[in-house]
Amino acid sequence: MSASASAAHYVQEVGAILGTAAVTSLLSQRLRQPPVLGYLLAGMILGPHVPGIIIGGESSVQLAHSLSEFGVILLMFTIGIEFSLRKIVKIGLPAALTAVIEVGLMISLGYMVGRLFGWDSTASLFVGACLGISSTMLVAKAFEEQRLRGGFVEVVFAVLVFEDMIAILLLAILTGLASGTGLSPVDFALTVGKLLAFLLAMLAAGLLVVPRFIRGVVRIGRAETTLIAGIAVCFGMAAFASASGYSVALGAFLAGMLVSESGEGPKVEHVIQPLRDLFAAVFFISIGMTVDPVLVAQHWLPVLVLTAVVLAGKVFGVSLGSFLAGNGLRRSVRAGMSLAQIGEFSFIIAGLGLQTGAIPEYILPIMVAVAILTSLTTPVMVRRSERGAEAVDRWLPDRLQTFVTFYDGWIEQLRSAPRSAAVGRRVRGPLVMLIVDATLLVALLAGSSLVHWQAVEAMFQATHLSPTVIEILYVGATLALAGVLFVGVLRRAAALARALAAVVLPTRDDGKLDLGSAPRRAFTVAIELALSLVIGLPLVAVLQPFLPLSSGFAVFALVVAALGYNVWRSIGNLDGHVRAGTELIVEVLARQGQGGASGPAAHQSLVEVAPMLPGFPDMTPVTLSATSPAIGQTLAELNLRARTGASVLSINRASAGVVLPEAHERLQAGDTLTLAGGHEAIERASALLQRGIVLGE
């Protein structure tokens, strides 16, 4: 075939690919579904597995795959532009903790499901990694269509940022595993160490050149020059990462971060976006071409099971992690329901496994099917997330509702507590030892598994004991040492939890009655549970390939169950503390004649009673004006705690004095409500009571 004929042939193929994608994406959007589904459908129609349109057979698939590499690179580049070192610091610890808990849980669950279906360790690990990362594209599209802003939306995107960072780490590690380095802990440590060194070197060198270069180009003021310069940085760093043994996605991501540091990221992203959208569409089309509907039909059970795992696991993991990180129950549940899907990163991870032969060919179609099913549920989950959050709050027992309010206030106080040298020393020691013990535990169990049979053989040659006896001795010694380290991890976590809780609720050393023991205990065990999840879930995800099926997760589940029981008992004691404190508030306000008084008088009384109520969050009086939309509603109808996170401790009423709040209590003009909760929760409750709106949602 001549060069001109070959060029014409490729033009025809590209025209057929993009034309089909245009039709299917329009159809998808008319059905109120994301265009990604249309692109996947176009790929399935044009692919070799579905009879119908034939545009060149295998050559068309190869062309689409070649062009899709550009889509991956540009997609990762624009994701990187959304990052910056300053933004990562600003988003902070809560989002990182949430992402670690959720991704660790999903990798563990995905690995277990894969092993239950008979897939090998490497394939199961790839499946778990595919389930761990939510879809930025699908979530952003759902929020845009429903015009959602602020509040939980910020929580969702913060978690997505750290999920993407974890995905980059997973890509680098899985690339090493897929290339044949295996699951050795030494190789794992070397892979992570080399990755960190590569990242630091690239960022250090890039920060000296790229931001200045981009700023200089943007100052010229020509869009095409900005486009070419941005593409040059993107593909140049992608090529360097590939030559260094890492994925092009990692290099493109780093390029985006460096462009973001120039301060001109939005301008570069604006000119690159049409090109990115074009090649991203080709990327999803190429994924669709690899899907064999027959394979999906043959593996319908794994598709349904993994879909259920994604929907349930992500809602639970994100909601629990976000709440423990201090984002409040309502925002956390809404964030969890919004992130219950997989998407573009799952395709990239599965494509890597398929390309390197690390996973069977049926895994990618299964992941695509799961992504399609979860993308169909995403708009519905987002739309109903507010109702879901309110339903969860109503389902909670009274003592848990009280704990939720107080926990939010304690976390807020912990964040705003002054950082002193004494506090730093008290927290730093347990934290360092916790990391050391956890690292040693991973090294022991992983190393013991890898040298198991060699060690047994060597002991047999040296002692000539029965292999069964040697096996028992070897396993027993390993478990004994692991038990010591495991107990050390639990003790360090408990010590760190006590140190953090003492920052908010200091212990008394003057010999007097410690009225803060109940709230301090509840806060301590809650932090201990959070630390166990943050440390334990990644450990389980890392260790599962080295342990018998589900044993690591089973031990972890037992520990979490025990901690959960301690939390429940502590919450019971806290509930009694709160009831006594509420009665004290009512008594003090009534004795001082504050019934019906507003503002300063009620606030002064609360200031005076606060020292007698250690552990109570901020208490603020709010007086209902004659125009308040809350007048005439009962507390149950208002649902203040579920909608804002603040609780009503008492109601001051001119005609009845100070009364305890009941669900059927109907509010009247002039009522002064004593609200408890974090600063943001009280602001939202005040706005709802006075103006009928919920701030930040």
Side-chain angles (χ1 to χ4, degrees):
M1 183 182 295
S2 66
S4 59
S6 177
H9 172 71
Y10 283 127
V11 168
Q12 293 173 359
E13 290 187 345
V14 171
I17 290 171
L18 296 180
T20 306
V23 173
T24 54
S25 65
L26 286 173
L27 176 63
S28 176
Q29 293 177 74
R30 288 295 299 270
L31 297 175
R32 304 184 69 84
Q33 298 300 324
V36 171
L37 292 181
Y39 301 146
L40 292 171
L41 178 61
M44 294 175 65
I45 293 173
L46 299 173
H49 304 293
V50 177
I53 301 176
I54 301 176
I55 60 171
E58 189 64 28
S59 64
S60 300
V61 177
Q62 292 177 354
L63 174 63
H65 279 301
S66 299
L67 294 176
S68 72
E69 282 290 310
F70 293 162
V72 173
I73 292 171
L74 292 172
L75 177 62
M76 294 305 302
F77 180 60
T78 52
I79 289 176
I81 290 177
E82 296 299 323
F83 284 75
S84 71
L85 299 177
R86 288 182 292 273
K87 182 177 182 179
I88 293 173
V89 172
K90 181 180 178 181
I91 291 172
L93 197 57
L97 296 180
T98 303
V100 167
I101 290 174
E102 180 252 327
V103 175
L105 175 65
M106 296 310 300
I107 291 177
S108 300
L109 293 176
Y111 180 87
M112 285 196 300
V113 170
R115 297 295 284 159
L116 288 173
F117 280 112
W119 304 334
D120 63 35
S121 296
T122 303
S124 299
L125 198 59
F126 268 86
V127 169
C130 289
L131 299 188
I133 312 301
S134 301
S135 172
T136 302
M137 281 187 173
L138 292 175
V139 172
K141 186 65 176 176
F143 286 169
E144 179 182 349
E145 290 178 349
Q146 299 181 35
R147 298 175 181 174
L148 298 175
R149 296 287 186 276
F152 86 99
V153 175
E154 295 177 357
V155 174
V156 168
F157 281 116
V159 174
L160 283 170
V161 165
F162 280 95
E163 277 192 4
D164 290 346
M165 293 180 66
I166 294 173
I168 295 297
L169 178 63
L170 287 175
L171 277 174
I173 293 172
L174 292 174
T175 299
L177 297 178
S179 64
T181 60
L183 293 173
S184 162
V186 175
D187 291 332
F188 178 84
L190 288 175
T191 298
V192 174
K194 290 179 180 177
L195 171 63
L196 293 176
F198 174 78
L199 292 175
L200 290 175
M202 289 282 284
L203 288 174
L207 284 171
L208 297 175
V209 179
V210 174
R212 292 185 177 88
F213 172 67
I214 292 297
R215 283 194 291 266
V217 170
V218 171
R219 275 197 296 268
I220 297 174
R222 297 183 63 88
E224 65 271 25
T225 306
T226 302
L227 170 64
I228 293 172
I231 293 294
V233 171
C234 171
F235 279 81
M237 294 194 68
F240 184 77
S242 178
S244 301
Y246 296 99
S247 67
V248 292
L250 177 60
F253 176 81
L254 292 176
M257 281 191 68
L258 294 173
V259 168
S260 177
E261 289 300 317
S262 70
E264 303 292 349
K267 294 180 180 178
V268 176
E269 184 178 16
H270 176 73
V271 297
I272 286 179
Q273 186 173 356
L275 194 63
R276 180 207 65 182
D277 291 343
L278 172 63
F279 284 106
V282 176
F283 165 70
F284 289 113
I285 293 168
S286 72
I287 293 295
M289 286 182 170
T290 64
V291 176
D292 185 349
V294 175
L295 282 178
V296 175
Q298 290 175 349
H299 296 85
W300 62 270
L301 184 57
V303 170
L304 294 181
V305 170
L306 290 173
T307 299
V309 167
V310 169
L311 293 176
K314 281 185 171 286
V315 171
F316 177 77
V318 173
S319 299
L320 179 61
S322 180
F323 169 72
L324 291 175
N327 288 311
L329 180 66
R330 183 167 181 261
R331 287 184 177 182
S332 298
V333 173
R334 296 193 71 183
M337 294 182 67
S338 300
L339 290 171
Q341 76 289 124
I342 61 174
E344 53 273 12
F345 260 121
S346 303
F347 301 150
I348 295 173
I349 292 172
L352 170 66
L354 187 63
Q355 181 183 358
T356 57
I359 62 174
E361 63 176 4
Y362 56 79
I363 296 294
L364 179 57
I366 288 175
M367 289 298 103
V368 173
V370 172
I372 290 174
L373 291 177
T374 55
S375 67
L376 291 173
T377 62
T378 294
V380 178
M381 298 278 278
V382 172
R383 191 177 304 115
R384 297 185 177 178
S385 62
E386 186 170 4
R387 291 183 182 178
E390 293 180 359
V392 169
D393 186 88
R394 286 194 300 270
W395 173 80
L396 292 178
D398 290 342
R399 64 170 64 179
L400 270 179
Q401 291 181 349
T402 300
F403 170 74
V404 165
T405 299
F406 277 59
Y407 183 81
D408 290 344
W410 296 333
I411 289 292
E412 187 173 301
Q413 292 176 38
L414 182 61
R415 289 177 181 169
S416 59
R419 302 294 186 262
S420 66
V423 170
R425 286 193 300 270
R426 195 162 58 237
V427 171
R428 192 181 305 115
L431 177 60
V432 171
M433 294 306 301
L434 176 61
I435 295 173
V436 170
D437 284 349
T439 303
L440 290 176
L441 180 61
V442 172
L444 172 66
L445 291 176
S448 174
S449 174
L450 290 171
V451 302
H452 185 167
W453 298 114
Q454 295 91 325
V456 169
E457 177 65 24
M459 292 171 66
F460 176 76
Q461 296 294 335
T463 64
H464 298 290
L465 293 173
S466 166
T468 302
V469 174
I470 294 175
E471 175 78 9
I472 293 173
L473 291 174
Y474 182 84
V475 173
T478 300
L479 292 178
L481 291 173
V484 172
L485 292 172
F486 182 68
V487 171
V489 169
L490 295 179
R491 291 180 60 190
R492 305 301 182 188
L496 181 58
R498 288 193 298 270
L500 291 172
V503 174
V504 176
L505 298 164
T507 57
R508 299 194 65 158
D509 53 5
D510 55 5
K512 296 182 180 180
L513 180 63
D514 188 359
L515 297 177
S517 60
R520 187 186 310 108
R521 174 62 180 167
F523 193 29
T524 299
V525 294
I527 295 176
E528 192 174 351
L529 176 61
L531 290 173
S532 298
L533 293 173
V534 170
I535 298 294
L537 283 171
L539 284 181
V540 170
V542 170
L543 287 173
Q544 281 201 119
F546 307 106
L547 299 175
L549 179 61
S550 301
S551 60
F553 196 86
V555 172
F556 174 73
L558 288 175
V559 172
V560 171
L563 290 173
Y565 176 71
N566 285 337
V567 171
W568 179 254
R569 288 183 57 190
S570 301
I571 290 174
N573 296 331
L574 174 68
D575 191 53
H577 175 81
V578 172
R579 289 181 183 275
T582 302
E583 292 174 359
L584 177 61
I585 291 172
V586 172
E587 179 182 345
V588 169
L589 291 178
R591 186 169 61 245
Q592 295 185 6
Q594 297 300 333
S598 62
H603 185 268
Q604 181 60 35
S605 297
L606 293 176
V607 170
E608 293 174 359
V609 79
M612 296 183 285
L613 300 172
F616 271 63
D618 292 339
M619 293 180 290
T620 302
V622 175
T623 301
L624 302 184
S625 64
T627 59
S628 169
I631 293 174
Q633 297 188 58
T634 65
L635 291 178
E637 293 170 345
L638 195 60
N639 202 14
L640 190 70
R641 211 209 60 76
R643 297 173 68 185
T644 67
S647 293
V648 180
L649 297 181
S650 68
I651 301 176
N652 300 6
R653 182 170 295 160
S655 60
V658 184
V659 297
L660 288 171
E662 299 290 345
H664 62 271
E665 192 71 44
R666 200 169 296 277
L667 299 179
Q668 302 175 12
D671 284 352
T672 298
L673 280 60
T674 302
L675 303 180
H679 179 70
E680 290 185 4
I682 290 177
E683 281 190 349
R684 291 195 296 269
S686 298
L688 179 61
L689 290 169
Q690 302 291 19
R691 304 196 300 275
I693 61 173
V694 180
L695 297 176
E697 302 293 344

